[in-house]
Amino acid sequence: RRFSELRAAQPRGPLCNMEFWVGWFDAWGSVAGRSYRDANDVAQTLRDTLDAGGSVNFFVFHGGTSFGFCGPGANISATGQYEPQVTSYDYGGLLDEAGDVTEKYLRCREVMADFLGKPELLEKSFPTAPRLPSSPPLELEASMSLQDALPCLTGPLSKVICSSVPMSAEQLGIGYGYVLYRTTAPATDLPLRLGEDAVRDF
């Protein structure tokens, strides 16, 4: 269906799904758990795309990790829920975050082998045991509130900027790190609405 819409807008040119989403981001506290697409669903969509004469770029083929401040940010769900993302960028890729082969990879390989008429693609075997050991249970031994940690987190170059509206990190001349926003809310017995787009990563 999407390819027919593409052809209506672009009569000529390649049929290509430039971001074939095989999964999705994981959000902190997600009720559904990992937001991965089912392997058979991905394989069937791949087959339908190839049969339609199209091609795909898997997004992602190999899962990864977002280190430090390089996390993927956040999304707003269909119900308006703020969804900050975890640092894992596994994304349900054909190869997982550790580089291990997944069921999704095997199903897509079957599709490619059949479509190309190359059964020899199925002869390759892979290690069955995970390459990384499972993580031991972790117990939180100490914590500190952000308010108490501020003297340690802010240095002599930190500065306070007053603005009537929140400024982006770029507007503040910051290319890496965090910005702490503060405001004083008016005293009222009525619910305080911040607006649909107020809570987000700037």
Side-chain angles (χ1 to χ4, degrees):
R1 184 172 64 87
R2 294 300 184 188
F3 280 152
S4 63
E5 294 175 1
L6 175 61
R7 271 291 170 257
Q10 187 184 64
R12 300 180 62 184
L15 290 173
C16 184
N17 183 347
M18 296 303 294
E19 281 198 13
F20 178 29
W21 294 348
V22 299
W24 193 243
F25 304 106
D26 289 332
W28 284 103
S30 174
V31 176
R34 290 185 165 181
S35 306
Y36 296 172
R37 283 182 65 181
D38 178 75
N40 292 323
D41 175 50
V42 171
Q44 184 60 55
T45 304
L46 174 61
R47 182 74 214 203
D48 293 343
T49 300
L50 296 175
D51 287 342
S55 58
V56 303
N57 285 327
F58 289 105
F59 190 90
V60 299
F61 186 87
H62 191 324
T65 307
S66 300
F67 293 101
F69 293 100
C70 299
N75 290 317
I76 302 294
S77 72
T79 59
Q81 181 69 35
Y82 180 69
E83 295 183 332
Q85 310 305 319
V86 300
T87 53
S88 169
Y89 210 118
D90 186 287
Y91 204 86
L94 276 62
L95 301 182
D96 67 15
E97 189 170 4
D100 289 324
V101 170
T102 67
E103 184 70 18
K104 195 174 297 180
Y105 176 94
L106 297 176
R107 297 290 76 77
C108 288
R109 184 177 67 159
E110 292 172 357
V111 169
M112 296 296 293
D114 180 65
F115 182 80
L116 296 173
K118 293 186 175 182
E120 63 270 18
L121 294 178
L122 303 176
E123 298 173 1
K124 175 69 175 178
S125 60
F126 302 95
T128 56
R131 296 191 297 166
L132 296 179
S134 59
S135 300
L138 299 177
E139 184 175 343
L140 184 64
E141 297 180 350
S143 64
M144 176 181 287
S145 70
L146 176 60
Q147 184 68 34
D148 292 337
L150 281 179
C152 301
L153 296 174
T154 56
L157 298 180
S158 299
K159 56 184 177 180
V160 176
I161 296 178
C162 296
S163 175
S164 59
V165 295
M167 299 174 65
S168 68
E170 290 79 7
Q171 290 172 317
L172 296 170
I174 298 174
Y176 193 79
Y178 291 120
V179 178
L180 174 63
Y181 297 92
R182 283 176 167 165
T183 189
T184 301
T188 176
D189 294 330
L190 299 176
L192 182 63
R193 297 183 62 84
L194 300 176
E196 294 181 359
D197 297 327
V199 182
R200 52 165 296 192
D201 56 325
F202 289 89

